[in-house]
Amino acid sequence: MTEATHLADSTAAMSLRTDPPAVDVYIFVDEATGVDETTTSGWETEPFKSLEFAAYHTDTTNKANTYIFKQRKEGKWEDATSTAVKKAKKGYEVALRKAVKQVEAAARLEEEEKKREASRLAAEREAKSIVLNQDPSLPQAKPIKLRDTIAFRGKRVKVNGWVHRLRSQKGMTFIELRDGTGYLQCVLTGDLPKTWDAQNLTLETSLSIWGVIAPLPEGKTAPDNHELAADFFEVIGQAPSGDEAFSNRITKDTGADLKADLRHLVLRGEVASAVLKVRAGVLRAFRKSYEDMGLLEVTPPCMVQTQVEGGSTLFAFDYYGEKAYLTQSSQLYLETCLPALGDVFCIQESFRAEKSLTRRHLSEYTHIEAELAFITFDDLLSHLEELMCRTLETVLTDPKVAPLIKELNPTFEAPARPFLRMTYEDAIQWLVEHQIPNDEGEPHKFGDDIAEAAERRMTDTIGKPIFLTKFPVEIKAFYMKKVDGDPRVTESVDCLMPGVGEIVGGSMRMDDLEELMGGYKREGIGAEPYYWFTDQRKYGTTPHGGYGLGLERFLAWLCARYTVRDCSLYPRWTGRCTP
């Protein structure tokens, strides 16, 4: 019971009570133990709680003389002064008038709510009474994907998809439908928007809609400049409303961690889906480039018992009682294919247990790798340049992929050839001249592993792709061939792109058996598990080289994404393996 209702009820009850003949009345008030109820006697053993209630109570009681006592904290009763009683009575009357008004207002609101509910129920009954049936006199509808809508203008079609956008106005409902292949504006008119299903549509509800696609008149806009005039629809899967509504789960203010938890919903957004469509186009383009350049695709294993890039970044697991790892790179296996299959490539996942939370690191990433036989280091650099430029030319002329890249990265331009060549030693000098320190805050010196931030700053300043070459032996993998005449450095290369940094790492491989055995020893690696790799130097060795390209980094550069996490379907990084 509300305070307002209690006060109003108290007044009504007092006005109905029948009192005995007039006698002296003694009223007691105890704020600690009293109760302000009309059923309370007000006697010393059953006091009221407030002086206000007691004062008003005495005014509605048949009495001769009234004496009001108020208990002090010490437990003694003392007379309430006439001034205090008068003030209390006035205060109670004011509160009572307010309470009555509140009760009356609540009653009006309740009545209005009843009317609204009655109106809503009537509208619901009316909407549910409308039963839709397809018009049998209409032409048979052709089921199509939204990517094919232009070819079916003027014809009756059936489309399926999810409600991507929704807008209602008097007598019309506009639905932008999405099916993963495209978008289509659909318009419900006539009885269609009056139905219960139409009036309760929510974002991400799945639908089937029948109708005819027609071009839009001048001045109107919609995807592909046309819309479907619906003649029938049905709900396949109703998405929730309220707190669980899609628009309440994903908003522009949703934090990065929650977006990662809700990646399955984020993927439905235009930006996330566009990046993944570009990703698919880039993969097709790489495969086409490799085919045109004469390389064969192979599929090496992902469960291995050898390391490639250092033991500290291996994901280990038990393999039928033996120790095994998730592959860091397929390079060693690709090398074994050269004598049998010629130049080869693979596009597979690689795994690095590197506890790095930078915007360009993933624990699982798509690795595009290739190995080529009978080449020189210059041949390797030319091959890499040709591969990336061919691939870019393909995607930038693809009628489906190119517009998406333009939306994601409006200022992107394919790099000019040749790429800038810069040795590691020249890069160290550049960093010193531009006063960019190493991780210890000191000037860079030969032998430093150039940190990501410094490398990216240099690349962004130069503003073009860089082939950074000839890294020191100590900071590169055991299998990289040394430069003839300068045993300090290797025939190695990193390709650096503005905004991202390194996207490719490659080298010429050791083709001399004795040199390879020295590489094992230098890194403290036992040669026995690598017998199958070592045998390549026994049975017809040859100069050869290869590389690995990180697809997500390539996409971050191409699509102007801040982090590679946006370029993976379900990204995995340190501490993140969900969903």
Side-chain angles (χ1 to χ4, degrees), residues 46-61:
E46 200 178 57
F48 292 120
K49 183 176 181 65
S50 68
L51 188 59
E52 289 83 359
F53 194 90
Y56 194 83
H57 176 78
T58 62
D59 198 44
T60 59
T61 305

Side-chain angles (χ1 to χ4, degrees), residues 445-520:
K445 60 184 181 300
F446 190 91
D448 285 347
D449 193 355
I450 301 174
E452 176 191 343
E455 178 186 88
R456 194 167 62 243
R457 187 171 169 188
M458 179 182 73
T459 309
D460 291 351
T461 301
I462 293 173
K464 61 177 68 175
I466 303 171
F467 279 144
L468 192 58
T469 63
K470 299 182 180 179
F471 289 85
V473 170
E474 290 76 17
I475 62 174
K476 284 298 181 180
F478 71 90
Y479 51 76
M480 292 189 178
K481 185 178 178 64
K482 296 176 183 177
V483 172
D484 289 340
D486 190 353
R488 301 176 307 151
V489 296
T490 56
E491 289 191 314
S492 53
V493 58
D494 285 355
C495 182
L496 312 179
M497 289 296 184
V500 179
E502 179 194 349
I503 65 170
V504 179
S507 76
M508 295 297 290
R509 317 310 193 187
M510 292 178 178
D511 54 74
D512 181 78
L513 177 59
E514 189 174 326
E515 186 181 12
L516 178 60
M517 297 306 290
Y520 291 142

Side-chain angles (χ1 to χ4, degrees), residues 217-502:
E218 287 292 329
K220 302 292 184 181
T221 59
D224 292 324
N225 293 313
H226 60 206
E227 66 184 12
L228 180 143
D231 57 61
F232 185 73
F233 80 96
E234 64 181 13
V235 172
I236 307 302
Q238 177 73 33
S241 57
D243 291 342
E244 285 294 299
F246 183 83
S247 56
N248 288 331
R249 299 288 301 280
I250 301 290
T251 70
K252 65 179 181 179
D253 298 322
T254 300
D257 285 343
L258 183 55
K259 281 185 177 178
D261 289 338
L262 300 177
R263 181 67 175 168
H264 60 294
L265 299 181
V266 171
L267 294 178
R268 302 186 182 206
E270 292 177 24
V271 172
S273 61
V275 171
L276 292 177
K277 288 174 183 177
V278 172
R279 178 187 171 107
V282 167
L283 283 171
R284 286 195 304 271
F286 268 115
R287 284 192 164 95
K288 182 180 186 301
S289 297
Y290 279 127
E291 184 176 355
D292 292 344
M293 295 168 73
L295 278 74
L296 183 72
E297 184 170 11
V298 293
T299 52
C302 287
M303 296 183 290
V304 302
Q305 292 184 309
T306 52
Q307 70 181 54
V308 181
E309 298 296 334
S312 64
T313 63
L314 285 166
F315 281 108
F317 64 95
D318 180 83
Y319 187 76
Y320 302 108
E322 295 184 81
K323 195 167 188 177
Y325 313 99
L326 296 177
T327 185
Q328 299 167 314
S329 167
S330 296
Q331 174 210 316
L332 305 189
Y333 292 95
L334 291 178
E335 288 189 47
T336 69
C337 297
L338 294 176
L341 302 173
D343 298 342
V344 292
F345 78 96
C346 71
I347 300 178
Q348 295 195 176
E349 302 308 294
S350 284
F351 306 85
R352 302 282 173 92
E354 189 173 3
K355 293 182 179 179
S356 177
L357 292 172
T358 75
R359 58 191 175 100
R360 69 176 193 174
H361 280 90
L362 291 169
S363 298
E364 176 186 11
Y365 64 98
T366 301
H367 213 175
I368 300 175
E369 300 182 84
E371 292 292 320
L372 302 96
F374 300 103
I375 62 169
T376 65
F377 186 51
D378 285 339
D379 292 335
L380 178 63
L381 299 184
S382 297
H383 165 88
L384 271 170
E385 192 173 83
E386 177 70 14
L387 172 72
M388 287 188 279
C389 290
R390 272 179 177 265
T391 300
L392 286 170
E393 183 179 352
T394 299
V395 296
L396 293 175
T397 56
D398 186 311
K400 294 180 179 178
V401 178
L404 296 174
I405 296 173
K406 189 68 175 176
E407 290 177 12
L408 294 165
N409 190 0
T411 62
F412 181 81
E413 292 184 7
R417 299 197 228 184
F419 293 178
L420 176 66
R421 267 73 164 170
M422 176 187 282
T423 66
Y424 164 87
E425 196 164 7
D426 288 340
I428 292 294
Q429 184 61 34
W430 190 97
L431 292 168
V432 171
E433 290 174 355
H434 288 79
Q435 299 181 343
I436 300 173
N438 62 18
D439 280 347
E440 284 72 41
E442 301 292 331
H444 277 87
K445 60 184 181 300
F446 190 91
D448 285 347
D449 193 355
I450 301 174
E452 176 191 343
E455 178 186 88
R456 194 167 62 243
R457 187 171 169 188
M458 179 182 73
T459 309
D460 291 351
T461 301
I462 293 173
K464 61 177 68 175
I466 303 171
F467 279 144
L468 192 58
T469 63
K470 299 182 180 179
F471 289 85
V473 170
E474 290 76 17
I475 62 174
K476 284 298 181 180
F478 71 90
Y479 51 76
M480 292 189 178
K481 185 178 178 64
K482 296 176 183 177
V483 172
D484 289 340
D486 190 353
R488 301 176 307 151
V489 296
T490 56
E491 289 191 314
S492 53
V493 58
D494 285 355
C495 182
L496 312 179
M497 289 296 184
V500 179
E502 179 194 349

Side-chain angles (χ1 to χ4, degrees), residues 11-20 37-41 48 57 60-62:
T11 304
M14 289 178 182
S15 65
L16 294 175
R17 64 186 293 170
T18 301
D19 297 306
E37 293 285 354
T38 57
T39 55
T40 303
S41 66
F48 292 120
H57 176 78
T60 59
T61 305
N62 186 21

